Amino acid sequence: MVVSEETTPHVEGDAPSKKAAKKAAKTAEKQQKKAEHKGASQEQSEASEVDVSDGRYGSYKLLQSDGSYRDRVYVDVKDLSEKAGQDVWVRARLHTTRAKGKQCFAVLRQNSSTVQLLISVNDERKVSKQMVKFTGNITKESIVDVLATVVKTASPIESCAIKNHELSGREVWVVSAAKNQLPLQVEDASRPETDDPEALKIRVNQDTRLDNRVLDLRTPANQAIFRIEAGVCRLFRDILTKRGFVEIHTPKIISAASEGGANVFTVSYFKSNAYLAQSPQLYKQMAIAADFDKVFTVGAVFRAEDSNTHRHLTEFVGLDLEMSFKHHYHEVVDTIGQTFTDIFRGLQEQYATEIEIVGQQYKVEPFKFLDPPLRLEFPQAVKMLKEAGVTVGDEDDLSTPDEKLLGRLIRAKYDTDFYILDKYPLAVRPFYTMPDPNNPKVSNSYDMFMRGEEILSGAQRIHDPEFLTQRAKHHGIDIKQIASYIESFSFGCPPHAGGGIGMERVVMLYLGLDNIRKTSLFPRDPKRVTP
Amino acid sequence: MVVSEETTPHVEGDAPSKKAAKKAAKTAEKQQKKAEHKGASQEQSEASEVDVSDGRYGSYKLLQSDGSYRDRVYVDVKDLSEKAGQDVWVRARLHTTRAKGKQCFAVLRQNSSTVQLLISVNDERKVSKQMVKFTGNITKESIVDVLATVVKTASPIESCAIKNHELSGREVWVVSAAKNQLPLQVEDASRPETDDPEALKIRVNQDTRLDNRVLDLRTPANQAIFRIEAGVCRLFRDILTKRGFVEIHTPKIISAASEGGANVFTVSYFKSNAYLAQSPQLYKQMAIAADFDKVFTVGAVFRAEDSNTHRHLTEFVGLDLEMSFKHHYHEVVDTIGQTFTDIFRGLQEQYATEIEIVGQQYKVEPFKFLDPPLRLEFPQAVKMLKEAGVTVGDEDDLSTPDEKLLGRLIRAKYDTDFYILDKYPLAVRPFYTMPDPNNPKVSNSYDMFMRGEEILSGAQRIHDPEFLTQRAKHHGIDIKQIASYIESFSFGCPPHAGGGIGMERVVMLYLGLDNIRKTSLFPRDPKRVTP
């Protein structure tokens, strides 16, 4: 690129000078040479011919905010149909381009939208064969500014999102050139996963995608997935804020490996060591003891677990909430359940387009839910599994395959992909879980599931320091290690319950995707800390 | 507390049985004994006397969600004035209590609200001297359920937030008892900072506060500060979402100390090392290169800087944004500036009560701002400082004292506490900062200030890989270390600019507080990683 060259800045309203246009043409040509395109020498000779498009195509100099074109109005690709018959400026990526004779067919892409661009030799419109060739040689994924007329198409263009209109180009400028050899083709990365034996089978494998995430994220499906993800976070916060929750921020660097010490990352902290928080739970509880009543927090949580599965990350985003209640922890369970129902409905209503776009690449079974959500007790689940021929102990936790089977059984019986499992055996829950007052083997705890996978684990917590001490001892926990945790309940603490949600799992399971790496912008697992 | 005792659960609508009430009285008494209150033995003898309040006071057994009282309706303290003449249930903290003869005066506290509770011996209302004494002996900061009549007061109670009404108690139950010896008194921690020589001077020092944050956070001012903080985050996100920004989540664990290697925390990552991100900047930029156009992220950032000042934390919450633009980075500067103006206005409009409550403890000078915000260029600031007698080089960065002085000069001249300083010298900015196209010594970069302290630093970034390489070399940076950063711009990237905001600083400076630890829920500094 030409960063040090001092070209005359283009002035708004003026056509670029012939000198500047020639320079731009020369720049474009240099670029092509660098990219080792064949035909560069031919282009050079053509550049010196008479060119009716002179000053209407080329490469901008590096955009350094010099004041030119400040008032130019651009139209978004998705809105082009509304501009039929008009000349508009569009800034977009060159998704594909192919020049043949007097025409160049290109596709412009912007987020999840695409439109066809036709550059056709036409003296009246001042489109030259040089301009056609220039456009045909722009590297894929380059960002271009195009001045074009929006034209109705004779027949729908099935390969583009905008089907009934195309662009007839008048000017084409390269804003930022992509290099010629890309590590993956966005076209390949966007190809639908289909069972059609006739379909093109070129795919991009997951590591190549993640290694080159900047390119991979440009696919329409990924553009949609991360907009949906932003929606999940926004809905979670808005729904809880309306219910009187206060957002808090809890520290990620903590002094002690509070939850047992296993699976925790160690940090060098000045002359000592510290740890990365595996959950904000203790801090949420302290916020409750500090009178914030109902709190939520959205933030990174860390698990140093050497699990290389489709659903584990070493760093993920926790959607956590904790809530004091007056007399029964079901006040909290109902609040969380309703929050999920509201999120699911919000996604349906506000992200229908994005969900559809994801569905064009991946098979998405629409997510089903009930309002109010289904709540079963643990023994009911055990009974359903036993009836299906599975051996489950009444005081055992469910295995992952059992959970998946249960998800299918519940969907068949109740027609819902979301449900709450209440009253887990006390033995399989952490020491701070409140036992059931009527059955010492049962606890006031719950998990929530989407498509048979756990996405939330929660419970009423023990808010009494003496009972908490007794339960911790029962679990063989060193009381000294958790002294400050226990102490925070000795200044008066309301009864409370809460839970932690794995955000990436919610998005993965809502859309029915097969791997959590598809819903983490830059995923972290035991083998990946880049990019 | 009595966690193992099996008392008959209270059933909604029924008065507790005499047996249960006696048990409760006994429990309360046990508690008092444990707290080594004098008079416990006297109470014991009184408990066996005839008690007209029998079954109307005591301690609940541990609240384990047994189903009792599920439908009881509670009224918030702040809403009590609307219930004059009615009997209501209130759950709140016992802020203070003092029994004298036949009366007990107590103050109930809920978040930032307080109300007086009077328990007065009265046979008709079934309030006994035993109940008065019991209430007088409940430890401060315990959580209580009170059934009381809302009564208009003869003269305003100046020491409470609710001045014209008080509660006349009929039942008092301890929900969760605080221990008798508290490491700090919430009353002391709430005391206004005043110059009045006559005022009580008992204060709680900062370390005692932070060591016992669960108690410290209960002060009305802290309850308000962290609600305002939640407001800042909500406004930031809502304003940007409305402007088309997409929320993203960037990894905190990174493979290379991207910003030079100094001041970075090292993490043990399985068999290798990784680092904690000092800012999400590189990831925000990659999101721009990946077509997300306008992004923001709210999350933890980490600085291993051994700075023990009023405004440095080792972990804080970054409000970061990055935005592609068409032709001039001022498109971005204007967006950020307007975002601040909208946040300030939102706080004024939606948090007036909370701001006033903070003002009752700390001197708060109302925050002044202009719409549109004031934008000055760096040389103008240098000129103002020089006129004030300060020696500043045209290519030097401003020192912290100079920035503070500039803040005062600008407030005097322009009547604003918020302003933007644009066009910093290139020499004092990072390598990825875009130089000004017309002056090689100047850059397209800016800082933003509140009350003379920097709260945002930002710039147009270099989006061209070759120019970026050239600038990095100029700064003596090892190109290999940042190869993947540079590469992300080689697939076509729109021009873009952005900035990072320190959330805690914004809240501190908006309110005019003197220490950033006042606006971090659980602050982290070189000497503090607990609680």
Side-chain angles (χ1 to χ4, degrees):
Chain A
M1 303 278 296
V2 280
V3 294
S4 54
E5 262 186 278
E6 293 274 331
T7 57
T8 318
H10 296 157
V11 179
E12 180 63 26
D14 281 5
S17 70
K18 190 154 182 179
K19 191 182 155 200
K22 271 225 177 115
K23 205 151 204 171
K26 222 171 162 185
T27 302
E29 163 206 325
K30 261 197 221 167
Q31 218 177 300
Q32 300 303 334
K33 255 192 207 167
K34 213 177 289 166
E36 301 181 345
H37 259 171
K38 58 176 184 171
S41 64
Q42 186 189 346
E43 192 166 280
Q44 196 166 19
S45 68
E46 278 169 4
S48 58
E49 286 177 26
V50 175
D51 184 350
V52 292
S53 300
D54 212 9
R56 294 173 189 274
Y57 67 94
S59 292
Y60 289 149
K61 61 183 172 142
L62 180 67
L63 210 151
Q64 266 182 289
S65 310
D66 65 7
S68 34
Y69 307 122
R70 280 203 68 174
D71 300 324
R72 184 186 286 172
V73 174
Y74 290 78
V75 175
D76 284 346
V77 168
K78 65 174 168 43
D79 301 330
L80 281 174
S81 303
E82 299 160 19
K83 303 283 177 185
Q86 298 178 37
D87 277 9
V88 296
W89 279 101
V90 172
R91 179 170 293 179
R93 291 214 182 262
L94 196 74
H95 183 59
T96 60
T97 184
R98 188 168 46 88
K100 210 178 168 185
K102 293 188 161 185
Q103 288 192 316
C104 174
F105 286 92
V107 172
L108 298 184
R109 195 186 73 239
Q110 195 178 61
N111 310 134
S112 297
S113 256
T114 47
V115 66
Q116 180 162 281
L117 167 69
L118 176 65
I119 311 276
S120 194
V121 173
N122 183 324
D123 273 9
E124 209 169 306
R125 286 175 65 81
K126 309 227 171 180
V127 176
S128 66
K129 60 184 176 183
Q130 292 93 329
M131 180 169 161
V132 166
K133 186 155 206 174
F134 174 84
T135 309
N137 282 338
I138 299 173
T139 47
K140 280 199 262 186
E141 293 301 307
S142 294
I143 293 173
V144 291
D145 268 9
V146 172
L147 173 67
T149 315
V150 181
V151 180
K152 227 175 155 351
T153 53
S155 56
I157 301 166
E158 290 305 335
S159 58
C160 286
I162 306 287
K163 299 192 190 315
N164 300 318
H165 294 86
E166 63 177 358
L167 294 172
S168 174
R170 305 177 71 107
E171 290 195 29
V172 176
W173 297 92
V174 175
V175 177
S176 172
K179 64 180 180 184
N180 193 38
Q181 295 288 341
L182 298 177
L184 64 81
Q185 301 301 316
V186 175
E187 236 183 319
D188 296 337
S190 312
R191 194 160 286 127
E193 294 192 348
T194 166
D195 301 331
D196 181 0
E198 302 292 305
L200 196 56
K201 281 287 181 298
I202 299 168
R203 294 285 181 283
V204 183
N205 79 39
Q206 186 171 268
D207 275 331
T208 307
R209 285 177 185 270
L210 296 179
D211 287 342
N212 304 284
R213 193 62 161 160
V214 161
L215 279 164
D216 180 45
L217 287 172
R218 293 180 190 170
T219 65
N222 276 336
Q223 290 286 312
I225 286 170
F226 289 97
R227 282 173 170 81
I228 293 167
E229 188 154 291
V232 167
C233 293
R234 182 174 54 76
L235 288 163
F236 174 80
R237 290 183 305 244
D238 287 356
I239 291 161
L240 292 176
T241 299
K242 266 191 205 131
R243 289 174 180 265
F245 281 71
V246 179
E247 182 179 19
I248 59 168
H249 298 279
T250 65
K252 313 307 171 209
I253 297 177
I254 56 174
S255 61
S258 47
E259 290 181 43
N263 301 334
V264 65
F265 289 115
T266 306
V267 185
S268 298
Y269 198 80
F270 300 99
K271 281 166 191 158
S272 178
N273 277 338
Y275 305 92
L276 291 182
Q278 291 163 287
S279 97
Q281 197 204 311
L282 310 191
Y283 292 95
K284 284 188 303 178
Q285 290 194 258
M286 284 200 257
I288 295 298
D291 286 350
F292 287 97
D293 285 338
K294 303 171 181 179
V295 298
F296 71 85
T297 185
V298 176
V301 290
F302 306 91
R303 304 276 164 93
E305 201 177 335
D306 200 358
S307 295
N308 295 279
T309 78
H310 79 285
R311 64 192 196 121
H312 284 89
L313 294 170
T314 51
E315 179 185 338
F316 62 92
V317 175
L319 306 176
D320 273 87
L321 75 169
E322 199 74 23
M323 175 180 155
S324 70
F325 62 83
K326 292 297 193 286
H327 287 286
H328 203 291
Y329 77 99
H330 281 177
E331 298 168 35
V332 181
V333 176
D334 291 345
T335 299
I336 302 177
Q338 199 56 52
T339 300
F340 272 108
T341 306
D342 291 351
I343 289 175
F344 300 148
R345 186 171 298 112
L347 290 176
Q348 257 182 1
E349 288 171 1
Q350 298 166 33
Y351 291 88
T353 309
E354 284 80 2
I355 293 166
E356 198 199 317
I357 288 168
V358 177
Q360 285 161 12
Q361 177 159 8
Y362 304 106
K363 262 195 218 165
V364 174
E365 284 282 312
F367 188 83
K368 294 188 168 185
F369 60 96
L370 303 174
D371 186 6
L374 176 68
R375 187 170 72 215
L376 297 177
E377 297 208 346
F378 193 81
Q380 291 174 276
V382 170
K383 186 161 168 270
M384 285 177 80
L385 284 168
K386 279 182 177 166
E387 281 168 6
V390 179
T391 317
V392 202
D394 291 339
E395 281 196 69
D396 293 347
D397 206 350
L398 300 180
S399 70
T400 305
D402 287 353
E403 286 178 346
K404 286 216 158 194
L405 172 59
L406 182 66
R408 289 195 297 274
L409 296 171
I410 286 177
R411 192 182 213 263
K413 187 168 177 184
Y414 298 98
D415 200 33
T416 180
D417 287 314
F418 175 75
Y419 55 91
I420 301 167
L421 213 50
D422 194 18
K423 310 247 67 126
Y424 269 68
L426 183 61
V428 303
R429 307 297 279 201
F431 73 94
Y432 47 71
T433 308
M434 183 65 86
D436 182 283
N438 305 312
N439 183 344
K441 292 194 167 179
V442 173
S443 68
N444 293 349
S445 70
Y446 41 85
D447 277 6
M448 302 195 187
F449 293 86
M450 288 172 67
R451 302 194 204 255
E453 295 195 39
E454 181 247 304
I455 42 112
L456 173 140
S457 195
Q460 177 180 355
R461 331 289 188 180
I462 297 173
H463 61 282
D464 178 87
E466 291 178 29
F467 189 38
L468 190 58
T469 305
Q470 180 188 320
R471 291 295 306 161
K473 280 182 183 161
H474 178 83
H475 277 252
I477 289 166
D478 180 2
I479 300 297
K480 280 196 299 283
Q481 283 282 321
I482 56 164
S484 74
Y485 175 60
I486 293 177
E487 198 200 16
S488 48
F489 302 110
S490 66
F491 312 129
C493 181
H496 60 285
I501 303 164
M503 182 203 64
E504 291 86 348
R505 281 195 190 174
V506 170
V507 180
M508 169 178 80
L509 294 164
Y510 183 81
L511 293 170
L513 300 174
D514 61 354
N515 196 303
I516 200 157
R517 289 160 188 80
K518 287 197 168 81
T519 57
S520 174
L521 199 66
F522 295 99
R524 295 291 180 256
D525 65 32
K527 291 175 181 149
R528 177 175 294 281
V529 282
T530 55
Chain B
M1 304 278 294
V2 279
V3 293
S4 54
E5 261 185 281
E6 290 276 329
T7 57
T8 319
H10 296 158
V11 179
E12 180 62 25
D14 281 4
S17 70
K18 189 154 185 178
K19 189 182 153 201
K22 270 222 178 117
K23 204 151 203 172
K26 222 171 160 186
T27 302
E29 161 207 326
K30 262 199 222 164
Q31 217 178 300
Q32 300 304 333
K33 254 191 206 166
K34 212 177 289 164
E36 301 180 343
H37 258 172
K38 57 176 184 173
S41 64
Q42 187 190 346
E43 193 165 278
Q44 196 164 19
S45 68
E46 280 168 2
S48 58
E49 286 176 25
V50 175
D51 184 349
V52 292
S53 301
D54 211 10
R56 294 174 189 274
Y57 66 94
S59 291
Y60 288 149
K61 62 182 173 141
L62 180 67
L63 210 151
Q64 266 182 289
S65 309
D66 64 7
S68 37
Y69 308 121
R70 280 204 67 175
D71 299 324
R72 185 185 285 172
V73 175
Y74 289 79
V75 176
D76 284 347
V77 169
K78 66 175 169 43
D79 301 329
L80 281 174
S81 302
E82 299 159 19
K83 303 283 177 184
Q86 297 178 37
D87 276 9
V88 296
W89 278 102
V90 172
R91 179 170 294 178
R93 292 214 180 259
L94 197 73
H95 184 59
T96 60
T97 183
R98 188 168 45 88
K100 209 178 170 186
K102 294 187 161 184
Q103 287 191 317
C104 174
F105 286 92
V107 172
L108 299 183
R109 194 187 73 237
Q110 195 178 64
N111 311 134
S112 297
S113 256
T114 47
V115 66
Q116 180 162 279
L117 167 69
L118 176 65
I119 311 276
S120 195
V121 173
N122 184 323
D123 272 8
E124 207 171 305
R125 287 176 62 84
K126 311 228 170 177
V127 176
S128 66
K129 60 183 175 184
Q130 291 92 329
M131 180 169 160
V132 166
K133 187 157 204 170
F134 174 84
T135 308
N137 282 338
I138 300 172
T139 47
K140 281 199 260 187
E141 294 302 307
S142 294
I143 294 174
V144 291
D145 267 9
V146 171
L147 173 65
T149 314
V150 181
V151 181
K152 228 177 153 350
T153 52
S155 56
I157 301 166
E158 290 305 336
S159 58
C160 286
I162 306 288
K163 299 191 190 314
N164 299 318
H165 294 87
E166 63 177 359
L167 293 172
S168 173
R170 306 177 72 108
E171 290 195 29
V172 177
W173 297 92
V174 175
V175 177
S176 172
K179 65 180 180 183
N180 192 38
Q181 294 289 341
L182 299 178
L184 63 83
Q185 301 301 318
V186 175
E187 237 183 318
D188 296 338
S190 311
R191 194 159 288 126
E193 294 192 348
T194 166
D195 302 331
D196 181 0
E198 301 291 304
L200 197 55
K201 281 289 181 295
I202 299 169
R203 294 286 181 281
V204 182
N205 79 38
Q206 187 170 267
D207 275 330
T208 306
R209 286 177 185 270
L210 296 180
D211 287 342
N212 303 284
R213 193 62 161 161
V214 161
L215 279 164
D216 180 44
L217 286 172
R218 293 179 189 170
T219 65
N222 276 337
Q223 290 287 311
I225 286 170
F226 290 96
R227 283 173 169 80
I228 293 167
E229 189 153 290
V232 167
C233 292
R234 182 174 55 75
L235 288 163
F236 175 79
R237 289 183 305 244
D238 287 357
I239 291 161
L240 292 176
T241 299
K242 266 193 206 129
R243 289 174 180 265
F245 280 71
V246 179
E247 182 180 19
I248 59 168
H249 298 279
T250 64
K252 313 306 171 208
I253 297 178
I254 56 173
S255 61
S258 47
E259 290 181 43
N263 301 334
V264 65
F265 288 114
T266 306
V267 184
S268 299
Y269 197 80
F270 300 99
K271 284 169 187 151
S272 178
N273 277 338
Y275 307 91
L276 292 182
Q278 291 163 286
S279 97
Q281 198 204 312
L282 310 191
Y283 292 95
K284 284 188 304 178
Q285 289 193 259
M286 284 199 258
I288 295 298
D291 286 349
F292 286 96
D293 285 339
K294 303 172 183 180
V295 297
F296 70 85
T297 186
V298 175
V301 290
F302 307 91
R303 305 276 164 94
E305 200 177 336
D306 200 358
S307 294
N308 295 279
T309 78
H310 80 285
R311 64 190 195 121
H312 284 90
L313 294 170
T314 51
E315 178 185 340
F316 61 91
V317 175
L319 306 175
D320 272 88
L321 75 169
E322 200 74 23
M323 175 181 157
S324 71
F325 63 82
K326 293 295 192 288
H327 288 286
H328 203 291
Y329 77 99
H330 281 176
E331 298 168 34
V332 181
V333 176
D334 291 344
T335 299
I336 302 176
Q338 199 58 50
T339 299
F340 272 108
T341 306
D342 290 351
I343 290 175
F344 300 148
R345 187 172 298 113
L347 291 176
Q348 256 182 3
E349 289 171 1
Q350 298 165 34
Y351 293 86
T353 309
E354 284 80 3
I355 293 166
E356 197 197 318
I357 289 168
V358 177
Q360 285 161 12
Q361 178 159 8
Y362 303 106
K363 262 194 217 165
V364 173
E365 284 281 312
F367 188 82
K368 294 189 168 184
F369 61 97
L370 303 174
D371 187 5
L374 176 68
R375 187 170 73 216
L376 298 177
E377 298 209 344
F378 193 81
Q380 290 173 279
V382 170
K383 187 162 167 269
M384 284 177 82
L385 285 169
K386 279 182 176 165
E387 282 169 5
V390 179
T391 316
V392 202
D394 292 339
E395 280 197 69
D396 294 347
D397 206 351
L398 300 181
S399 70
T400 304
D402 287 353
E403 285 178 347
K404 287 217 159 194
L405 171 61
L406 182 65
R408 289 195 297 276
L409 296 172
I410 286 177
R411 193 182 212 264
K413 186 167 176 184
Y414 298 98
D415 200 32
T416 180
D417 287 312
F418 175 74
Y419 54 92
I420 301 167
L421 212 52
D422 192 19
K423 309 244 72 122
Y424 270 68
L426 183 60
V428 303
R429 307 298 277 202
F431 73 94
Y432 46 72
T433 308
M434 184 65 86
D436 182 283
N438 304 312
N439 183 343
K441 294 194 164 178
V442 173
S443 68
N444 292 349
S445 71
Y446 41 86
D447 278 6
M448 302 195 187
F449 294 85
M450 288 171 68
R451 301 195 203 251
E453 294 194 40
E454 181 245 304
I455 42 112
L456 173 140
S457 195
Q460 178 181 354
R461 331 289 189 182
I462 297 172
H463 61 282
D464 177 87
E466 291 179 28
F467 189 38
L468 189 57
T469 306
Q470 180 189 319
R471 291 296 305 161
K473 281 183 183 161
H474 179 83
H475 277 252
I477 289 166
D478 181 1
I479 300 298
K480 280 196 299 283
Q481 283 282 321
I482 56 165
S484 73
Y485 175 59
I486 293 176
E487 198 200 15
S488 49
F489 303 110
S490 66
F491 311 129
C493 181
H496 60 285
I501 302 165
M503 183 204 62
E504 292 87 348
R505 281 194 190 175
V506 170
V507 180
M508 168 178 82
L509 294 164
Y510 183 81
L511 293 172
L513 300 174
D514 61 355
N515 196 304
I516 199 155
R517 289 160 188 79
K518 287 198 169 81
T519 57
S520 174
L521 200 65
F522 295 100
R524 295 292 179 256
D525 65 33
K527 291 173 181 151
R528 176 176 293 280
V529 281
T530 56

